Amino acid sequence: MHVDTICSHQRATDGTVREYRSHLLRRSFRDEQGRPRKETLANLSALPDAAVEAVRRVLKGESMVPAGDAFEVERSVPHGNVAAAHVMASALGLRALLGPPCRERDIAYALIVSRAVRPESKLSTAGWWEAGDTTLGTDLGVADASTDEVYAAMDWLVSRQRMIEKQLAARHLHPGGIAMFDLSSSWVEGNCCELAAFGHSRDGKRGRRQVEYGLLTDPEGRPVAVEVFPGNTSDPDSFKTAITRVRGDFGLTTLIMVGDRGMITGTRIADLRKCEGMDWITALKAPAIAALAREDGPLQMSLFDVHNFAEITHPDYPGERLICCHNPVLAADRARTRADLLAATGKDLDKIKTSVSAGRLKDPDKIGIRAGKVIGKHKVGKHFILDIAPGRFAFRRDEQKIAAEAALDGIYVIRTSVTAGILDSAAVVTAYKDLKYVERDFRITKADDLDLRPIYHYLADRVRGHVLICMLACYLTWHLRAALAELTFTDQDIPVNGDPVAPARRSQAAKGKDASKHNGQLPIRKYGDLLEHLATLGRQTISFAGQRIEKLTIPTPVQRRAFELLGAPVPITLQ
């Protein structure tokens, strides 16, 4: 038996041609004389085309099974997040940046990409690869990487750090341009780390050993180099190392270095003066500002009658420009904060006074210890005058000091050796405020995206390798965030501010995204949430008719748009 399909055409009086098709179930046989004949058993024309095709295939000997039994999904693995990071890393030439092809490079590259999408410990990351919970381990050939191989790759990466950073500096730092430098710290778990020491904790982890690291970036905040220091290294010493790196390793003899007031001190400026072609932008500390603001000083509030910034000179700063800035918003915030701290300190001191008055506290030494803890708690002890004697305690505010400090609320002074022909006053202020980009990188590296802290390694080179991996992952994340800004809350059209001192404002488009959680076409998410959504774009391993094939799930509109922004289709494998 077989199915015959018969087509016929008929022309109507108006000239149109109609096609008619009929499907007949027929049996072929030979009659008594041996001649071939056909017998029509049924007319199948009323059946849907799919049913007719099924009958045709069954009569040909094919087996028909339910769709659910025809194939099996063997495995579904998250793919979109690592694919997005890999696409961006490929566009940046990250693998070539690391070094020549080798096993260590493959593992180091996988560690960097993994840190950008799933910041976990090295052992957890290696287990993630091995378990097949991501396509990254299999596709990059590192799923079987042992712990020793991971550590060997970290050591290999550290050995190439100078060459990697030299290439990044060539990309983003240019003679006569601007470089940003700042220092941060992270605490260390355990007591055996070679670099761990007690120092000023920027994480607020008192009583914990830490390591410090300085980050060098371009003006827009792209990480270029990182240096790890013992936990008790001072800011000026770390900055001196940065200058040595810039001139020695990167070969940049003309550059403008930007650092905060604790970084570029008078001693470091004296060192910079000896380096021909090296300029700086920093700020004065509070005592120096107070000296300029004395009655006979050049810093007077009348400077800000027209603009919020003004340029002055002073004999104590020969060959330098001083740009005085007044930020009314900052002034109000500092006044409010001071009032709150004074009130909180006064309340705690009242408790001591009550104890002394009740006779529960008489020893002047014990009174002094308790009072010292209170005034040191909120850092406003200089504004209180204490009277301590046996069985007596009194205090009052030093209104004169409070008024003197309040007079300088919102005022900061930027000092620079850069001439006005290179950067005018507004550009100097903008360059100094761009240190916010380095602070943003620290937030990305330490908390928001890459989870650098705490540090569990104890060998010096392993700590350096960990920080370097985080820095390179930050470099990758910086570009990912920029490319995917349309799908996040990032402001893509920051208004140009005519007053560089005034606080930055968000554009109307960004405010609209904030309010509606939508960019007009697609829903938007926080960057971390966007990575999680990309991870739902999975790669399926399917068994069908004895064959194994790999297919991607259909991308959502957001996932499709993300890869359009990255400038590449979704790769089915990371090659």
Side-chain angles (χ1 to χ4, degrees):
M1 290 187 293
H2 62 279
V3 176
D4 269 350
T5 299
I6 302 170
C7 296
S8 62
H9 298 81
Q10 292 184 358
R11 185 181 298 276
T13 56
D14 59 357
T16 59
V17 177
R18 296 182 181 180
E19 180 183 77
Y20 295 91
R21 289 194 306 165
S22 58
H23 304 287
L24 303 178
L25 178 62
R26 288 180 167 176
R27 179 176 71 90
S28 298
F29 66 96
R30 290 183 181 274
D31 60 14
E32 294 177 354
Q33 286 76 32
R35 291 174 295 186
R37 300 291 184 183
K38 289 183 180 180
E39 180 184 7
T40 300
L41 302 177
N43 189 339
L44 306 179
S45 303
L47 296 177
D49 289 346
V52 173
E53 181 62 24
V55 173
R56 191 192 307 275
R57 295 177 65 178
V58 168
L59 293 176
K60 288 182 178 180
E62 297 184 22
S63 299
M64 306 299 290
V65 296
D69 298 336
F71 65 90
E72 291 182 345
V73 178
E74 293 184 8
R75 191 75 190 273
S76 178
V77 183
H79 178 68
N81 54 347
V82 293
H86 173 72
V87 166
M88 177 54 72
S90 299
L92 295 172
L94 187 56
R95 275 192 282 198
L97 182 73
L98 299 182
C102 61
R103 175 70 169 174
E104 290 82 2
R105 190 190 76 167
D106 292 341
I107 295 175
Y109 175 76
L111 286 171
I112 293 167
V113 175
S114 297
R115 176 65 58 169
V117 299
R118 181 185 177 271
E120 296 289 346
S121 69
K122 311 300 181 303
L123 296 181
S124 174
T125 299
W128 186 52
W129 300 341
E130 183 180 13
D133 293 337
T134 175
T135 57
L136 185 147
T138 302
D139 290 359
L140 298 184
V142 298
D144 59 344
S146 66
T147 303
D148 289 342
E149 285 183 307
V150 170
Y151 287 138
M154 293 175 65
D155 296 339
W156 175 86
L157 188 64
V158 170
S159 71
R160 297 192 54 80
Q161 180 172 358
R162 295 293 183 263
M163 288 175 278
I164 293 169
E165 293 173 343
K166 188 173 182 179
Q167 294 178 72
L168 289 175
R171 288 184 186 183
H172 303 298
L173 300 182
H174 309 288
I178 295 176
M180 308 284 178
F181 183 78
D182 205 354
L183 193 70
S184 191
S185 62
S186 290
W187 76 94
V188 176
E189 294 292 346
N191 300 311
C192 300
C193 180
E194 301 176 25
L195 295 171
F198 292 108
H200 170 61
S201 175
R202 292 163 178 82
D203 294 329
K205 293 286 185 179
R206 296 182 179 179
R208 303 288 293 274
R209 290 181 175 86
Q210 64 177 23
V211 298
E212 297 190 350
Y213 39 90
L215 184 65
L216 185 73
T217 78
D218 72 355
E220 295 181 352
R222 294 182 186 87
V224 171
V226 69
E227 189 74 22
V228 178
F229 304 98
N232 55 1
T233 305
S234 66
D235 288 9
D237 288 343
S238 65
F239 182 75
K240 185 176 181 179
T241 301
I243 294 299
T244 303
R245 296 284 312 279
V246 165
R247 293 179 68 84
D249 294 350
F250 305 153
L252 296 172
T253 56
T254 58
L255 199 67
I256 302 170
M257 295 293 294
V258 183
D260 64 26
R261 64 197 75 193
M263 191 77 58
I264 306 181
T265 62
T267 303
R268 294 288 77 80
I269 288 177
D271 293 337
L272 284 170
R273 290 184 187 278
K274 300 174 185 177
C275 302
E276 185 178 354
M278 297 299 292
D279 287 303
W280 67 88
I281 298 175
T282 187
L284 295 181
K285 294 183 178 180
I289 295 175
L292 292 175
R294 290 172 185 159
E295 292 185 2
D296 57 344
L299 175 54
Q300 303 298 322
M301 292 301 295
S302 59
L303 289 172
F304 310 115
D305 289 344
V306 179
H307 298 288
N308 282 331
F309 63 97
E311 185 171 326
I312 63 173
T313 58
H314 194 274
D316 290 346
Y317 306 94
E320 296 184 36
R321 300 160 61 201
L322 302 178
I323 294 92
C324 306
C325 307
H326 179 250
N327 186 334
V329 177
L330 179 62
D333 181 66
R334 287 183 176 176
R336 181 172 55 255
T337 301
R338 184 189 306 105
D340 292 343
L341 294 176
L342 289 172
T345 303
K347 184 177 180 179
D348 290 341
L349 290 175
D350 277 332
K351 294 178 182 178
I352 300 176
K353 185 176 181 180
T354 300
S355 295
V356 173
S357 299
R360 295 190 299 270
L361 189 61
K362 298 179 180 180
D363 189 334
D365 292 338
K366 292 182 178 179
I367 296 173
I369 291 173
R370 284 190 59 181
K373 291 180 179 179
V374 168
I375 63 175
K377 180 179 179 181
H378 299 300
K379 311 298 183 183
V380 289
K382 61 185 176 180
H383 295 320
F384 285 89
I385 299 173
L386 306 182
D387 180 13
I388 301 174
R392 188 178 80 250
F393 175 71
F395 68 92
R396 60 185 175 86
R397 293 184 181 185
D398 190 334
E399 299 296 346
Q400 186 175 357
K401 283 187 177 179
I402 294 174
E405 184 179 275
L408 298 178
D409 281 348
I411 292 178
Y412 56 96
V413 179
I414 299 172
R415 63 184 297 193
T416 181
S417 63
V418 182
T419 64
I422 298 176
L423 294 176
D424 60 17
S425 298
V428 170
V429 175
T430 300
Y432 182 75
K433 291 182 70 174
D434 282 347
L435 280 171
K436 64 188 176 187
Y437 296 130
V438 189
E439 294 294 337
R440 180 191 61 192
D441 287 346
F442 280 137
R443 288 195 301 273
I444 289 173
T445 304
K446 294 169 64 173
D448 290 351
D449 298 324
L450 307 179
D451 204 19
L452 180 147
R453 59 187 183 183
I455 295 173
Y456 295 96
H457 302 285
Y458 59 89
L459 296 179
D461 274 353
R462 297 285 164 75
V463 175
R464 293 188 180 97
H466 172 68
V467 175
L468 178 58
I469 286 170
C470 290
M471 187 275 279
L472 293 171
C474 182
Y475 181 76
L476 174 58
T477 299
W478 189 98
H479 289 87
L480 274 171
R481 280 179 169 268
L484 301 176
E486 177 187 308
L487 300 175
T488 68
F489 290 97
T490 302
D491 192 346
Q492 297 174 262
D493 303 298
I494 299 176
V496 177
N497 202 336
D499 181 0
V501 180
R505 297 176 292 109
R506 287 179 69 77
S507 66
Q508 290 301 319
K511 291 178 181 178
K513 288 201 297 185
D514 294 344
S516 65
K517 309 297 186 292
H518 206 274
N519 66 6
Q521 297 178 335
L522 297 169
I524 61 172
R525 296 168 170 82
K526 293 190 297 183
Y527 175 74
D529 293 341
L530 178 60
L531 284 183
E532 290 183 5
H533 178 66
L534 288 175
T536 65
L537 175 56
R539 189 171 74 195
Q540 320 291 329
T541 302
I542 301 171
S543 295
F544 178 76
Q547 302 181 28
R548 297 176 75 250
I549 59 175
E550 290 187 336
K551 293 281 290 182
L552 294 178
T553 55
I554 299 175
T556 67
V558 170
Q559 292 166 345
R560 186 178 297 108
R561 181 57 182 161
F563 281 90
E564 288 175 357
L565 293 171
L566 294 173
V570 185
I572 193 168
T573 59
L574 310 182
Q575 297 295 337

